[in-house]
Amino acid sequence: MYKMLFLSVTVIILSGCNKQNEATQVTEFSQEASIKLKTAASTYTDRAYQDGEVPLNDFIQMTGKITDTDSQSEQIMKGDRFVLQTDSAKYQVFNQQETTLYLEDEVTVYGEYYGFIKGTLIERITKQ
């Protein structure tokens, strides 16, 4: 009986370590993926988008203000679309990340260009 109890405790402790280790691995993977996406992303002028010079499926970086959304509220969740206003153009972005965004947020979008932007990583710009 004592051996069985000891074995059960050991399994619980080990499985607890595995869950923590798994969470650490996921976090490290997410950070590494973010760095790679930022490194791979190209920045283009609004004119390049308008003239069709941006290759489809290219990873891009774009900064602007969220001015509209198909969300039923001011919160923009994963799966919602929004309009990003840059200096001289508007772009449709599909939000593919978990972080909640809001109308009027100024953001930098990293993602894949398809004629619209699949926003894989979207960072809110903090004003000081």
Side-chain angles (χ1 to χ4, degrees):
M1 180 170 164
Y2 291 110
K3 288 182 183 181
M4 186 177 258
L5 177 62
F6 178 72
L7 181 59
S8 297
V9 171
T10 304
V11 171
I12 291 170
I13 291 171
L14 289 177
S15 67
C17 291
N18 286 339
K19 286 182 181 181
Q20 183 180 17
N21 192 20
E22 184 177 314
T24 302
Q25 288 176 348
V26 167
T27 300
E28 289 173 359
F29 174 78
S30 295
Q31 290 173 345
E32 185 178 326
S34 294
I35 290 168
K36 285 184 178 182
L37 177 59
K38 287 180 177 183
T39 303
S42 300
T43 304
Y44 295 96
T45 64
D46 289 331
R47 185 50 137 187
Y49 287 100
Q50 293 166 4
D51 291 345
E53 297 171 0
V54 179
L56 294 178
N57 303 333
D58 198 21
F59 288 102
I60 59 96
Q61 172 187 344
M62 181 181 290
T63 300
K65 185 176 188 175
I66 299 173
T67 59
D68 199 6
T69 181
D70 64 357
S71 173
Q72 299 300 314
S73 70
E74 290 192 2
Q75 288 187 345
I76 302 165
M77 309 297 281
K78 182 176 182 174
D80 290 337
R81 294 178 297 174
F82 63 87
V83 174
L84 185 72
Q85 173 74 52
T86 63
D87 290 334
S88 61
K90 294 180 179 182
Y91 301 90
Q92 180 176 221
V93 179
F94 287 81
N95 183 18
Q96 296 295 308
Q97 60 154 23
E98 297 293 336
T99 304
T100 302
L101 302 168
Y102 298 90
L103 276 175
E104 305 301 315
D105 277 350
E106 291 195 27
V107 296
T108 298
V109 176
Y110 300 89
E112 198 167 353
Y113 180 70
Y114 295 96
F116 59 86
I117 298 145
K118 184 172 125 183
T120 306
L121 174 63
I122 304 171
E123 296 178 328
R124 191 175 288 113
I125 298 171
T126 55
K127 299 213 177 190
Q128 298 183 6

